[in-house]
Coordinates of all heavy atoms in Angstrom, one line a residue:
P106 N 0.8 -1.2 0.0 CA 0.0 0.0 0.0 C 0.9 1.3 0.0 O 2.0 1.3 0.5 CB -0.8 -0.1 1.3 CG 0.0 -1.0 2.2 CD 0.8 -1.9 1.3
N107 N 0.3 2.3 -0.6 CA 1.1 3.6 -0.6 C 0.9 4.3 0.8 O -0.2 4.7 1.1 CB 0.6 4.5 -1.7 CG 1.3 5.7 -1.9 OD1 2.2 6.1 -1.0 ND2 1.1 6.5 -2.9
V108 N 1.9 4.4 1.5 CA 1.8 5.0 2.9 C 2.7 6.3 2.9 O 2.8 6.9 4.0 CB 2.2 4.0 4.0 CG1 1.3 2.9 4.0 CG2 3.7 3.5 3.8
Q109 N 3.3 6.7 1.8 CA 4.1 7.9 1.8 C 3.2 9.1 2.2 O 2.1 9.2 1.7 CB 4.7 8.1 0.4 CG 5.6 9.3 0.4 CD 6.2 9.5 -1.0 OE1 5.9 8.9 -1.9 NE2 7.2 10.4 -1.1
G110 N 3.7 9.9 3.1 CA 3.0 11.1 3.5 C 2.0 10.8 4.7 O 1.5 11.8 5.2
L111 N 1.9 9.6 5.1 CA 1.0 9.3 6.2 C 1.8 9.4 7.5 O 3.0 9.2 7.5 CB 0.4 7.9 6.1 CG -0.5 7.6 4.9 CD1 -1.0 6.1 5.0 CD2 -1.7 8.5 4.9
S112 N 1.1 9.6 8.6 CA 1.7 9.5 9.9 C 2.2 8.1 10.1 O 1.7 7.2 9.5 CB 0.8 10.0 11.0 OG -0.2 9.0 11.2
L113 N 3.2 7.9 11.0 CA 3.7 6.6 11.3 C 2.6 5.7 11.8 O 2.6 4.5 11.3 CB 4.8 6.7 12.4 CG 5.5 5.4 12.8 CD1 6.1 4.7 11.6 CD2 6.6 5.7 13.8
N114 N 1.8 6.1 12.7 CA 0.7 5.2 13.1 C -0.3 4.8 12.0 O -0.7 3.7 11.9 CB -0.1 5.9 14.3 CG 0.8 5.9 15.6 OD1 1.7 5.0 15.8 ND2 0.5 6.8 16.5
S115 N -0.6 5.8 11.2 CA -1.5 5.5 10.1 C -0.9 4.5 9.1 O -1.5 3.6 8.6 CB -1.9 6.7 9.3 OG -2.7 7.6 10.2
A116 N 0.4 4.7 8.8 CA 1.1 3.8 7.9 C 1.2 2.4 8.5 O 1.0 1.4 7.7 CB 2.5 4.4 7.7
K117 N 1.5 2.3 9.7 CA 1.5 0.9 10.4 C 0.2 0.2 10.2 O 0.1 -0.9 9.9 CB 1.9 1.1 11.8 CG 3.3 1.4 12.1 CD 3.5 1.5 13.6 CE 4.9 1.7 14.1 NZ 5.1 1.8 15.5
S118 N -0.9 1.0 10.5 CA -2.2 0.4 10.4 C -2.5 -0.1 9.0 O -3.1 -1.2 8.8 CB -3.2 1.4 10.9 OG -4.5 0.9 10.8
K119 N -2.2 0.8 8.0 CA -2.5 0.4 6.6 C -1.7 -0.8 6.2 O -2.2 -1.6 5.4 CB -2.2 1.6 5.7 CG -2.8 1.5 4.3 CD -2.7 2.8 3.6 CE -3.3 2.7 2.2 NZ -3.3 4.0 1.5
I120 N -0.4 -0.9 6.6 CA 0.4 -2.0 6.3 C -0.1 -3.3 6.8 O -0.2 -4.3 6.1 CB 1.9 -1.7 6.7 CG1 2.5 -0.7 5.8 CG2 2.7 -3.0 6.7 CD1 3.8 -0.1 6.3
T121 N -0.5 -3.3 8.1 CA -1.0 -4.5 8.7 C -2.4 -4.9 8.2 O -2.6 -6.1 8.1 CB -1.0 -4.4 10.3 OG1 -1.8 -3.3 10.7 CG2 0.4 -4.3 10.9
S122 N -3.2 -3.9 7.8 CA -4.5 -4.2 7.2 C -4.3 -4.9 5.9 O -5.2 -5.6 5.4 CB -5.3 -2.9 7.1 OG -5.6 -2.4 8.3
A123 N -3.2 -4.6 5.2 CA -3.0 -5.2 3.9 C -2.3 -6.6 4.0 O -1.9 -7.2 3.0 CB -2.0 -4.3 3.1
G124 N -2.2 -7.1 5.3 CA -1.6 -8.5 5.5 C -0.1 -8.5 5.4 O 0.5 -9.5 5.3
L125 N 0.5 -7.3 5.6 CA 2.0 -7.2 5.7 C 2.4 -6.9 7.1 O 1.6 -6.6 8.0 CB 2.4 -6.1 4.7 CG 2.0 -6.4 3.2 CD1 2.2 -5.1 2.4 CD2 2.8 -7.5 2.6
K126 N 3.7 -7.0 7.3 CA 4.3 -6.7 8.6 C 5.1 -5.4 8.5 O 5.7 -5.1 7.5 CB 5.1 -7.8 9.1 CG 4.4 -9.1 9.4 CD 5.3 -10.2 9.8 CE 4.5 -11.5 10.0 NZ 5.4 -12.6 10.3
V127 N 5.2 -4.6 9.6 CA 6.0 -3.5 9.7 C 7.4 -4.0 10.0 O 7.6 -4.7 11.0 CB 5.5 -2.5 10.7 CG1 6.5 -1.3 10.8 CG2 4.1 -2.0 10.3
G128 N 8.4 -3.6 9.2 CA 9.8 -4.0 9.5 C 10.5 -2.9 10.3 O 9.9 -2.4 11.2
S129 N 11.7 -2.6 9.9 CA 12.4 -1.6 10.7 C 11.9 -0.2 10.4 O 11.3 0.1 9.3 CB 13.9 -1.6 10.3 OG 14.1 -1.3 9.0
I130 N 12.1 0.7 11.3 CA 11.7 2.1 11.2 C 12.9 3.0 11.3 O 13.6 2.9 12.4 CB 10.6 2.5 12.2 CG1 9.4 1.6 12.0 CG2 10.3 4.0 12.1 CD1 8.4 1.7 13.1
K131 N 13.3 3.7 10.3 CA 14.5 4.5 10.3 C 14.1 6.0 10.1 O 13.2 6.3 9.4 CB 15.4 4.1 9.1 CG 15.9 2.7 9.3 CD 16.8 2.3 8.2 CE 17.2 0.8 8.4 NZ 18.1 0.3 7.5
E132 N 14.8 6.8 10.8 CA 14.6 8.3 10.8 C 15.5 8.9 9.7 O 16.7 8.6 9.7 CB 14.8 8.9 12.1 CG 13.8 8.4 13.2 CD 14.0 9.0 14.5 OE1 15.2 9.4 14.9 OE2 13.1 9.0 15.3
V133 N 14.9 9.8 8.9 CA 15.7 10.5 7.9 C 15.2 11.9 7.9 O 14.1 12.3 8.3 CB 15.4 9.8 6.5 CG1 16.0 8.4 6.4 CG2 14.0 9.9 6.1
E134 N 16.1 12.8 7.4 CA 15.8 14.2 7.2 C 15.0 14.4 6.0 O 15.3 13.7 5.0 CB 17.1 15.0 7.2 CG 17.8 15.1 8.5 CD 19.1 15.9 8.5 OE1 19.3 16.7 7.5 OE2 19.9 15.9 9.4
S135 N 14.1 15.3 6.0 CA 13.3 15.7 4.8 C 12.9 17.1 4.9 O 12.3 17.5 5.9 CB 12.1 14.8 4.6 OG 11.3 15.2 3.5
S136 N 13.1 17.8 3.8 CA 12.6 19.2 3.7 C 11.2 19.3 3.2 O 10.6 20.3 3.2 CB 13.6 20.1 2.9 OG 13.6 19.6 1.6
K137 N 10.7 18.2 2.7 CA 9.4 18.1 2.0 C 8.3 17.4 2.9 O 7.2 17.8 2.7 CB 9.5 17.4 0.7 CG 10.4 18.2 -0.3 CD 10.5 17.5 -1.6 CE 11.4 18.2 -2.6 NZ 11.6 17.6 -3.8
I138 N 8.7 16.5 3.7 CA 7.8 15.7 4.5 C 7.9 16.1 6.0 O 9.0 16.2 6.5 CB 8.0 14.2 4.4 CG1 8.0 13.8 2.9 CG2 7.0 13.4 5.2 CD1 6.7 13.8 2.2
S139 N 6.8 16.4 6.6 CA 6.8 16.9 8.0 C 7.3 15.8 8.9 O 7.2 14.6 8.7 CB 5.4 17.3 8.4 OG 5.0 18.4 7.7
E140 N 7.8 16.2 10.1 CA 8.3 15.3 11.1 C 7.2 14.3 11.5 O 6.1 14.7 11.7 CB 8.8 16.1 12.3 CG 9.4 15.3 13.4 CD 9.9 16.1 14.6 OE1 9.9 17.3 14.5 OE2 10.2 15.5 15.6
G141 N 7.6 13.0 11.6 CA 6.7 12.0 12.0 C 5.9 11.3 10.9 O 5.1 10.5 11.2
Y142 N 6.2 11.7 9.7 CA 5.4 11.2 8.5 C 6.4 10.4 7.6 O 7.6 10.7 7.6 CB 4.8 12.3 7.7 CG 3.6 13.0 8.5 CD1 3.8 13.9 9.5 CD2 2.3 12.6 8.2 CE1 2.8 14.4 10.2 CE2 1.2 13.1 8.9 CZ 1.5 14.1 9.9 OH 0.4 14.6 10.6
V143 N 5.8 9.4 6.9 CA 6.6 8.5 6.1 C 7.1 9.2 4.9 O 6.3 9.8 4.1 CB 5.7 7.3 5.8 CG1 6.5 6.3 4.8 CG2 5.3 6.5 7.0
V144 N 8.4 9.1 4.7 CA 9.1 9.6 3.5 C 9.1 8.6 2.4 O 8.8 8.9 1.2 CB 10.5 10.1 3.8 CG1 11.3 10.5 2.6 CG2 10.5 11.1 4.9
K145 N 9.5 7.4 2.7 CA 9.5 6.3 1.7 C 9.5 4.9 2.4 O 9.5 4.9 3.6 CB 10.8 6.4 0.8 CG 12.1 6.2 1.6 CD 13.3 6.3 0.7 CE 14.6 6.0 1.5 NZ 15.7 6.0 0.6
T146 N 9.4 3.9 1.6 CA 9.4 2.5 2.1 C 10.4 1.7 1.4 O 10.8 2.0 0.3 CB 8.0 1.9 2.0 OG1 7.7 1.8 0.6 CG2 6.9 2.7 2.7
N147 N 10.7 0.5 2.0 CA 11.5 -0.5 1.3 C 10.8 -1.8 1.6 O 10.8 -2.2 2.8 CB 12.9 -0.5 1.8 CG 13.8 -1.4 1.0 OD1 13.4 -1.9 -0.1 ND2 15.0 -1.7 1.5
P148 N 10.3 -2.6 0.6 CA 10.4 -2.3 -0.8 C 9.6 -1.0 -1.1 O 8.8 -0.5 -0.4 CB 9.7 -3.5 -1.5 CG 9.2 -4.4 -0.4 CD 9.6 -3.8 0.9
S149 N 10.0 -0.4 -2.3 CA 9.5 0.9 -2.7 C 8.0 0.8 -3.0 O 7.5 -0.3 -3.3 CB 10.3 1.5 -3.8 OG 10.2 0.6 -4.9
I150 N 7.3 1.9 -2.9 CA 5.9 2.0 -3.2 C 5.7 1.6 -4.6 O 6.4 2.0 -5.5 CB 5.4 3.4 -2.9 CG1 5.5 3.8 -1.4 CG2 4.0 3.6 -3.4 CD1 5.4 5.2 -1.1
G151 N 4.7 0.7 -4.8 CA 4.4 0.2 -6.1 C 5.0 -1.1 -6.5 O 4.7 -1.8 -7.4
S152 N 6.0 -1.6 -5.6 CA 6.6 -2.9 -5.8 C 5.7 -4.0 -5.4 O 4.8 -3.8 -4.6 CB 7.9 -3.0 -4.9 OG 8.8 -2.0 -5.3
K153 N 5.9 -5.1 -6.0 CA 5.1 -6.3 -5.6 C 5.7 -7.0 -4.5 O 7.0 -7.1 -4.4 CB 4.9 -7.2 -6.8 CG 4.1 -6.6 -8.0 CD 3.7 -7.6 -9.0 CE 3.0 -7.0 -10.2 NZ 1.7 -6.6 -9.9
T154 N 4.9 -7.5 -3.6 CA 5.5 -8.3 -2.4 C 4.4 -9.3 -2.0 O 3.3 -9.3 -2.6 CB 5.8 -7.3 -1.2 OG1 6.5 -8.0 -0.3 CG2 4.5 -6.7 -0.7
H155 N 4.8 -10.2 -1.2 CA 3.9 -11.3 -0.8 C 3.3 -11.0 0.6 O 4.0 -10.4 1.5 CB 4.7 -12.6 -0.7 CG 5.3 -13.0 -2.1 ND1 4.5 -13.4 -3.1 CD2 6.5 -12.9 -2.6 CE1 5.2 -13.7 -4.2 NE2 6.5 -13.4 -3.9
E156 N 2.2 -11.6 0.9 CA 1.5 -11.4 2.1 C 2.4 -11.9 3.3 O 3.1 -12.9 3.1 CB 0.2 -12.2 2.2 CG -0.6 -11.9 3.4 CD -2.0 -12.6 3.3 OE1 -2.5 -12.8 2.2 OE2 -2.5 -12.9 4.4
G157 N 2.5 -11.1 4.3 CA 3.4 -11.5 5.5 C 4.8 -10.9 5.4 O 5.5 -10.9 6.4
N158 N 5.1 -10.4 4.3 CA 6.5 -9.7 4.1 C 6.5 -8.4 5.0 O 5.5 -7.8 5.2 CB 6.8 -9.5 2.7 CG 7.3 -10.7 1.9 OD1 7.4 -11.8 2.5 ND2 7.5 -10.5 0.7
K159 N 7.8 -8.1 5.3 CA 8.0 -6.9 6.1 C 8.2 -5.7 5.2 O 8.8 -5.8 4.1 CB 9.2 -7.0 7.0 CG 9.0 -8.0 8.1 CD 10.3 -8.0 9.0 CE 10.0 -9.0 10.1 NZ 11.2 -9.1 11.0
I160 N 7.7 -4.5 5.6 CA 7.8 -3.3 4.9 C 8.6 -2.3 5.8 O 8.2 -2.0 6.9 CB 6.5 -2.6 4.5 CG1 5.6 -3.6 3.8 CG2 6.7 -1.3 3.8 CD1 6.1 -4.0 2.4
N161 N 9.8 -1.9 5.4 CA 10.6 -1.0 6.2 C 10.2 0.4 5.9 O 9.9 0.8 4.8 CB 12.1 -1.2 5.9 CG 12.6 -2.6 6.2 OD1 12.2 -3.1 7.2 ND2 13.4 -3.1 5.3
L162 N 10.1 1.2 7.0 CA 9.6 2.6 6.9 C 10.7 3.6 7.1 O 11.5 3.4 8.0 CB 8.5 2.8 7.8 CG 7.2 2.0 7.7 CD1 6.2 2.2 8.8 CD2 6.6 2.3 6.3
Y163 N 10.7 4.7 6.4 CA 11.7 5.8 6.6 C 10.8 7.0 7.0 O 10.0 7.5 6.2 CB 12.5 6.0 5.3 CG 13.4 4.9 5.0 CD1 12.9 3.7 4.3 CD2 14.7 4.9 5.3 CE1 13.7 2.7 4.0 CE2 15.5 3.8 5.0 CZ 15.0 2.7 4.4 OH 15.8 1.6 4.1
V164 N 11.0 7.4 8.2 CA 10.1 8.5 8.8 C 10.9 9.8 8.9 O 12.1 9.8 9.4 CB 9.6 8.0 10.1 CG1 8.7 9.1 10.7 CG2 8.8 6.7 9.9
S165 N 10.3 10.9 8.6 CA 10.9 12.2 8.6 C 11.2 12.7 10.0 O 10.3 12.5 10.9 CB 10.1 13.2 7.9 OG 10.6 14.5 8.0
V166 N 12.4 13.2 10.2 CA 12.6 13.9 11.5 C 12.6 15.4 11.2 O 13.1 16.2 12.1 CB 14.0 13.5 12.1 CG1 13.9 12.1 12.6 CG2 15.1 13.7 11.2
G167 N 12.1 15.8 10.1 CA 12.1 17.2 9.7 C 13.3 17.7 9.0 O 14.1 16.8 8.5
N168 N 13.5 18.9 8.9 CA 14.6 19.5 8.1 C 15.6 20.1 9.1 O 15.2 21.1 9.9 CB 14.1 20.5 7.2 CG 15.2 21.1 6.3 OD1 16.3 20.7 6.3 ND2 14.8 22.1 5.4
S169 N 16.8 19.7 9.2 CA 17.7 20.2 10.2 C 18.7 21.2 9.6 O 19.6 21.7 10.2 CB 18.6 19.1 10.8 OG 19.4 18.5 9.8
S170 N 18.4 21.6 8.3 CA 19.3 22.6 7.7 C 18.8 24.0 8.1 O 17.7 24.2 8.6 CB 19.3 22.4 6.2 OG 18.1 22.7 5.7
F171 N 19.6 25.0 7.9 CA 19.3 26.3 8.2 C 19.9 27.2 7.1 O 20.8 26.8 6.4 CB 19.8 26.8 9.6 CG 21.2 26.7 9.7 CD1 22.0 27.8 9.5 CD2 21.9 25.5 10.1 CE1 23.4 27.7 9.7 CE2 23.2 25.4 10.3 CZ 24.0 26.5 10.0
E172 N 19.4 28.4 7.0 CA 19.9 29.4 6.0 C 21.1 30.1 6.5 O 21.1 30.7 7.6 CB 18.9 30.4 5.6 CG 19.3 31.2 4.4 CD 18.1 32.0 3.8 OE1 17.0 31.5 3.8 OE2 18.4 33.1 3.3
M173 N 22.2 30.0 5.8 CA 23.5 30.7 6.3 C 23.5 32.1 5.8 O 23.2 32.4 4.6 CB 24.6 29.9 5.6 CG 26.0 30.4 6.0 SD 26.3 30.0 7.7 CE 28.0 30.4 7.9
P174 N 23.7 33.0 6.7 CA 23.8 34.5 6.3 C 24.9 34.7 5.4 O 25.9 34.0 5.3 CB 24.1 35.2 7.7 CG 23.7 34.2 8.7 CD 23.9 32.9 8.1
D175 N 24.8 35.7 4.5 CA 25.8 36.0 3.5 C 26.8 37.0 4.2 O 26.5 38.1 4.5 CB 25.2 36.7 2.3 CG 26.2 37.0 1.2 OD1 27.4 36.5 1.3 OD2 25.8 37.6 0.2
Y176 N 28.1 36.5 4.4 CA 29.1 37.3 4.9 C 30.2 37.7 3.9 O 31.3 38.1 4.2 CB 29.8 36.5 6.1 CG 28.9 36.2 7.3 CD1 28.5 34.9 7.6 CD2 28.5 37.2 8.1 CE1 27.7 34.7 8.7 CE2 27.7 37.0 9.1 CZ 27.3 35.7 9.4 OH 26.5 35.5 10.5
T177 N 29.8 37.6 2.6 CA 30.7 37.9 1.5 C 31.2 39.3 1.7 O 30.4 40.3 1.9 CB 30.0 37.7 0.2 OG1 29.5 36.4 0.1 CG2 31.0 37.9 -1.0
G178 N 32.5 39.5 1.6 CA 33.1 40.9 1.6 C 33.2 41.5 3.0 O 33.7 42.6 3.2
K179 N 32.9 40.7 4.1 CA 33.0 41.2 5.4 C 34.2 40.6 6.1 O 34.6 39.5 5.8 CB 31.7 40.9 6.2 CG 30.5 41.6 5.7 CD 29.3 41.3 6.5 CE 28.1 42.0 5.8 NZ 26.8 41.7 6.5
D180 N 34.8 41.4 7.0 CA 36.0 40.8 7.6 C 35.6 40.0 8.8 O 34.4 39.9 9.2 CB 37.0 41.9 8.1 CG 36.5 42.9 9.2 OD1 35.6 42.4 10.0 OD2 36.9 44.0 9.2
Y181 N 36.5 39.4 9.5 CA 36.2 38.4 10.6 C 35.4 39.1 11.7 O 34.5 38.4 12.2 CB 37.6 37.9 11.1 CG 37.5 37.1 12.3 CD1 37.1 35.7 12.2 CD2 37.7 37.5 13.6 CE1 36.9 34.9 13.3 CE2 37.6 36.7 14.7 CZ 37.2 35.4 14.6 OH 37.1 34.6 15.7
N182 N 35.7 40.3 12.1 CA 34.9 40.9 13.2 C 33.5 41.2 12.8 O 32.6 41.2 13.7 CB 35.7 42.2 13.6 CG 37.0 41.9 14.3 OD1 37.1 41.0 15.0 ND2 38.0 42.8 14.0
Q183 N 33.2 41.5 11.5 CA 31.9 41.8 11.1 C 31.0 40.5 11.0 O 29.8 40.6 11.2 CB 31.9 42.5 9.8 CG 32.4 43.9 9.8 CD 32.5 44.6 8.5 OE1 32.9 43.9 7.5 NE2 32.1 45.8 8.4
A184 N 31.7 39.4 10.7 CA 31.0 38.2 10.5 C 30.7 37.6 11.9 O 29.7 37.1 12.2 CB 31.9 37.2 9.8

């Protein structure tokens, strides 16, 4: 089942309802998917699998990057 963009709990429920098992859950950074929501799965969405197989989930921890100020042309004390 396609669980990308679902909350972790909703994804788990949808996977088990489809006769599959939840495998490992790994946390990954994502600038597009909010924290706590599924970014991707393994096997990938749309792949064929057999009933009872495990689906590994990659869940967003949010975006940890930040915008760096532009210090071009400034000396050490100004930066």
